[in-house]
Amino acid sequence: MQFASDNSGPALPGVMQAMAEVNIGHMPSYGTDAPMNEVRDRLRDVFEAPQASVYLVATGTAANALALATLSEPWQTVFCTPLAHIHTDECNAPEFFTGGAKLSLVGEADKMTPEDLARAIALWPAGDVHNPQHGPLALTQATERGRIYTCAEIAALCGVARDHGLPCYMDGARFANAVAALGCSPAEMTWKVGIDAVSMGGTKNGCLGVEAVIFFNPENAWEFELRRKRSAHLVSKHRYLSAQMLGYLREHLWLRTAQEANARAALLEAGLRDVPGAEMVFGRDVNMIFARLPRATHQRLKAAGAVYGLYEGPLESGAADEPLMARFVCDWSVTEQQIARFLEIARG
């Protein structure tokens, strides 16, 4: 009953098989390997972007920080929500790698609106030497609360950014889950609605540790390469990053896996609604659920070995019927049997 994080699950057999395939003999290093050439071609096909520049790094923090550094200047500010991963979970890495660019928080939750963005931009009058200058828009898709921006919402936000000459970046750590939920193509969720660069996460969806960074404007390519090397994120035995992404892309595994994770979360959500005292906190769009359950229910689940994030507490003391919020995440490996067992315990 493992629902703590999609970072906690095992790697996909197809990814492990691809790793084994490249683990023979010698191969050129630092991203000049043949598997990387195939990854580049496949991702250009996936995104319907034959001129896109494609790179791999080992972590989502590196992907976000290096991409934003490439799209901004140290005297600029990046526009993101208060719950954006770049703000809440990356130990100021974007500020560090950009050389000091500020983060300006837009709205009050995990998603922003065009009106929120316009107001945030207006707080810093363009051209005033005393202010941070306008930098990129950064969207988290899916958000840290398990919600997604529709393609129309992304287009509207990118439109506001474009009106002010701002580039647009998408943090896609759960990119596949968002595409699966929307039923759209990667192109329809990115460059066709105004996104200039995107990270396509693999780690949370069944890879060991690999993220793709894709720039739709080739002018950004060389600077990203230099920043990746200077920051110590250019892996020497790069073929093992390439192999992970290659296995992930074969036969649409990246999408099928995300669809499975989303479906398991939908099954879990439906069952939680029948648990006495349960309350859904945010609408579930992808593979992540936020719900409040009575303290006594959490105590039963934890005693039985269920693993998930408890966001309120304490667990040990307080009224048995007090609702406490928790996060439940399904990865590709979660089974229907595990969900059934979890719900049986939750219902008492």
Side-chain angles (χ1 to χ4, degrees):
M1 298 183 291
Q2 295 282 341
F3 302 102
S5 173
D6 37 15
N7 283 322
S8 303
L12 290 157
V15 169
M16 298 301 291
Q17 177 60 35
M19 292 277 282
E21 290 171 3
V22 302
N23 194 36
I24 299 172
H26 290 241
M27 196 173 290
S29 54
Y30 296 109
T32 61
D33 50 283
M36 182 59 202
N37 293 333
E38 187 173 351
V39 166
R40 190 178 296 110
D41 290 342
R42 284 177 178 255
L43 280 174
R44 285 171 172 171
D45 288 342
V46 165
F47 281 89
E48 305 169 48
Q51 301 303 314
S53 301
V54 178
Y55 303 100
L56 301 180
V57 293
T59 72
T61 296
N64 289 337
L66 293 174
L68 287 170
T70 302
L71 295 173
S72 65
E73 300 290 351
W75 48 83
Q76 292 180 333
T77 185
V78 177
F79 296 95
C80 65
T81 69
L83 292 177
H85 199 274
I86 61 172
H87 177 58
T88 62
D89 290 282
E90 294 184 344
C91 196
N92 296 2
E95 293 93 326
F96 178 79
F97 282 99
T98 59
K102 176 184 175 68
L103 299 184
S104 286
L105 306 184
V106 182
E108 298 180 352
D110 59 320
K111 290 179 66 174
M112 67 175 78
T113 67
E115 294 75 21
D116 291 333
L117 179 58
R119 281 192 294 269
I121 293 171
L123 290 175
W124 306 117
D128 186 335
V129 72
H130 301 287
N131 289 340
Q133 304 303 299
H134 298 160
L137 166 65
L139 300 176
T140 308
Q141 178 77 330
T143 76
E144 292 302 294
R145 291 295 179 261
R147 302 196 298 167
I148 53 178
Y149 292 96
T150 66
C151 293
E153 288 173 329
I154 297 167
L157 288 163
C158 290
V160 173
R162 282 281 178 272
D163 289 343
H164 293 84
L166 313 185
C168 302
Y169 172 69
M170 179 178 286
D171 171 0
R174 293 186 175 91
F175 183 91
N177 300 94
V179 169
L182 287 174
C184 66
S185 72
E188 289 168 339
M189 202 175 76
T190 55
W191 65 266
K192 287 188 176 182
V193 286
I195 295 294
D196 295 291
V198 61
S199 67
M200 180 180 178
T203 307
K204 294 180 186 299
N205 197 32
C207 295
L208 283 80
V210 66
E211 316 284 310
V213 181
I214 298 127
F215 289 94
F216 301 110
N217 183 350
E219 293 178 5
N220 297 126
W222 180 234
E223 180 177 343
F224 184 87
E225 289 195 47
L226 294 173
R227 288 185 177 277
R228 181 176 60 162
K229 175 61 178 178
R230 185 172 181 264
S231 64
H233 281 285
L234 177 58
V235 175
S236 58
K237 290 190 175 181
H238 191 282
R239 59 171 144 168
Y240 298 104
L241 291 184
S242 304
Q244 289 181 66
M245 186 56 65
L246 194 56
Y248 187 53
L249 294 171
R250 283 175 179 164
E251 298 179 354
H252 306 289
L253 182 61
W254 66 275
L255 183 57
R256 291 189 288 109
T257 303
Q259 289 168 336
E260 291 170 4
N262 289 359
R264 295 292 184 270
L267 181 64
L268 177 59
E269 178 192 34
L272 283 173
R273 291 184 182 277
D274 293 332
V275 172
E279 171 195 352
M280 300 299 113
V281 181
F282 305 105
R284 184 206 59 80
D285 289 332
V286 288
N287 62 323
M288 191 187 311
I289 302 163
F290 287 83
R292 283 191 172 91
L293 304 176
R295 177 179 279 106
T297 304
H298 286 299
Q299 290 171 340
R300 276 200 312 278
L301 288 165
K302 293 290 188 178
V307 182
Y308 55 89
L310 188 62
Y311 279 47
E312 296 172 344
L315 175 64
E316 297 79 12
S317 61
D321 61 351
E322 181 183 358
L324 305 177
M325 185 172 76
R327 186 186 80 161
F328 308 93
V329 185
C330 293
D331 77 321
W332 70 273
S333 68
V334 171
T335 66
E336 293 184 5
Q337 291 75 19
Q338 290 167 346
I339 293 171
R341 174 62 178 153
F342 179 90
L343 293 173
E344 179 185 6
I345 296 167
R347 294 181 186 123

